[in-house]
Amino acid sequence: MNLDITLIWGGLLAFVVLAYIIFDGYDLGVGILIPLMRSDQERAQMLSSVRLWDANETWLVLGGGGLFAVFPLAYSIIFPALYLPLIGMLLSLVIRGVVSEFRWQNKQSAMIWDSLFFVGSFLAACFQGMILGALVQGIQVVDHAYAGGPLDWLTPFSVMTGIALALGYSLLGATWLVLKTDGELQNKAFSLIKVLGSLMVLMVGVVSLWTPFLKQDYLSRWFAWPQAIYVLPVPLLLAAAIFILFRAVNRRNTWVPFVATISIFLLSYIGLLISIFPYVVPDTITLWEAAAPLSSQKFLLPGTLILVPIILIYTTYAHWVFLKEEKA
């Protein structure tokens, strides 16, 4: 049997991006919810519940490095097209990192640090969503090079996806707070899930209806017969995950909302991959066109196949140990 090494690499990088979204998503979401809590004690509880952000960023570094090493043509097109939002995202993450180190050393200025943590979290989420939206809507390419301007990424669709991802992270953050806190803060988190869940459903609907009409190829994949029958399980499972989320909140279940929200992210991500596959630069450059020479892919693959499970194991173990600690 002949293995398609390039396809394996595509799957690995897709998994790395998904891992980052899940592990760092709740972290950013908790930061976005900070201004909704009035007391310093509640905000301190929230910050104490997200102390693993350093480990979460590992996936981001691995994704960027993997794209550079294995799909250099895609890297050379995507990064120039998205330099500004990428720089904005990284600066926002740096702000969060500074706050997480200094907030506890200078409690007299806690309100200022908390505000900065919110700004960093919100902007990082919005920039990530806009990067995703800009990629899906397409990048102007001529002769295998980026041919657009520095602000082409800033469109109504990318702004909408930026807001949608910030809302999604907020929902994930609220479900995390339900897991990691109790008392009044947990009650507030349950209430927030109902509001944020409703807004998230609205945004998922808007994105799902808007995306197929960006390109004829997207439209055919979701609505042309008989392809539509093969992708129908995705929206059906998505509807089931949303139903399970709201039912779990009404039953005051602490674990199920977090798992259901991760399922919503997973199914939305699968829907995105269905729309753009096999392109890494949508509608322009396929995985195989963007890939490095096969010899390079073969050389890098064994190490990556060992490294990714190790990162996944230590990240999961760290979260498991952290979850077993006393609630914040």
Side-chain angles (χ1 to χ4, degrees):
M1 183 176 67
N2 294 323
L3 290 176
D4 190 328
I5 304 293
T6 302
L7 191 59
I8 292 173
W9 268 111
L12 271 174
L13 288 187
F15 174 78
V16 167
V17 172
L18 178 64
Y20 171 76
I21 290 171
I22 291 174
F23 282 115
D24 211 28
Y26 77 81
D27 194 330
L28 292 168
V30 170
I32 295 171
L33 297 177
I34 284 277
L36 300 180
M37 305 301 164
R38 293 183 178 178
S39 76
D40 180 67
Q41 182 183 359
E42 287 178 334
R43 293 194 298 272
Q45 278 183 276
M46 294 171 72
L47 288 170
S48 295
S49 76
V50 288
R51 289 180 291 169
L52 294 171
W53 81 277
D54 287 329
N56 297 334
E57 307 306 326
T58 306
W59 297 105
L60 190 63
V61 175
L62 187 61
L67 186 68
F68 173 76
V70 183
F71 299 103
L73 178 58
Y75 184 93
S76 70
I77 294 171
I78 292 172
F79 272 65
L82 301 173
Y83 267 143
L84 290 178
L86 284 167
I87 291 171
M89 179 193 72
L90 293 175
L91 290 176
S92 303
L93 292 175
V94 168
I95 291 173
R96 279 171 46 88
V98 171
V99 172
S100 67
E101 297 295 335
F102 286 92
R103 200 267 189 192
W104 308 107
Q105 307 300 325
N106 189 358
K107 295 184 179 178
Q108 288 75 21
S109 305
M111 179 66 83
I112 296 174
W113 292 117
D114 292 347
S115 300
L116 286 173
F117 196 71
F118 161 73
V119 170
S121 303
F122 179 73
L123 290 179
C126 285
F127 279 126
Q128 287 177 17
M130 286 192 283
I131 289 168
L132 181 65
L135 190 61
V136 170
Q137 73 186 2
I139 293 173
Q140 188 177 349
V141 178
V142 176
D143 295 333
H144 287 177
Y146 177 57
L151 293 177
D152 281 9
W153 55 275
L154 190 59
T155 65
F157 181 76
S158 68
V159 171
M160 187 270 298
T161 54
I163 294 171
L165 192 62
L167 271 173
Y169 283 167
S170 303
L171 174 61
L172 198 54
T175 60
W176 174 258
L177 289 177
V178 164
L179 269 179
K180 278 297 295 177
T181 63
D182 51 21
E184 185 59 26
L185 182 54
Q186 188 186 57
N187 291 333
K188 288 182 179 178
F190 268 121
S191 300
L192 283 172
I193 292 174
K194 293 181 179 179
V195 177
L196 294 169
S198 300
L199 292 173
M200 182 67 181
V201 170
L202 176 65
M203 295 307 292
V204 167
V206 172
V207 173
S208 300
L209 291 175
W210 194 339
T211 301
F213 291 96
L214 289 173
K215 296 179 184 294
Q216 182 59 43
D217 194 32
Y218 296 170
L219 190 64
S220 301
R221 292 183 184 206
W222 287 98
F223 294 107
W225 188 264
Q227 293 96 316
I229 197 70
Y230 299 114
V231 299
L232 185 60
V234 176
L236 292 179
L237 289 172
L238 185 60
I242 292 169
F243 171 76
I244 291 170
L245 169 67
F246 283 104
R247 189 180 64 170
V249 172
N250 289 331
R251 294 182 176 183
R252 304 282 294 183
N253 188 294
T254 56
W255 267 98
V256 176
F258 187 63
V259 176
T261 304
I262 288 176
S263 301
I264 292 171
F265 270 86
L266 173 62
L267 291 162
S268 300
Y269 189 63
I270 291 173
L272 169 68
L273 295 180
I274 289 174
S275 294
I276 67 174
F277 184 80
Y279 294 97
V280 63
V281 179
D283 210 24
T284 307
I285 306 291
T286 67
L287 285 170
W288 296 270
E289 290 171 332
L294 195 56
S295 57
S296 299
Q297 295 181 55
K298 288 181 177 177
F299 175 76
L300 293 168
L301 187 59
T304 307
L305 287 175
I306 295 172
L307 184 63
V308 169
I310 290 175
I311 296 174
L312 184 62
I313 289 170
Y314 87 68
T315 305
T316 305
Y317 178 73
H319 281 79
W320 175 249
V321 171
F322 190 50
L323 274 172
K324 287 169 65 179
E325 290 182 0
E326 289 185 7
K327 293 194 173 184

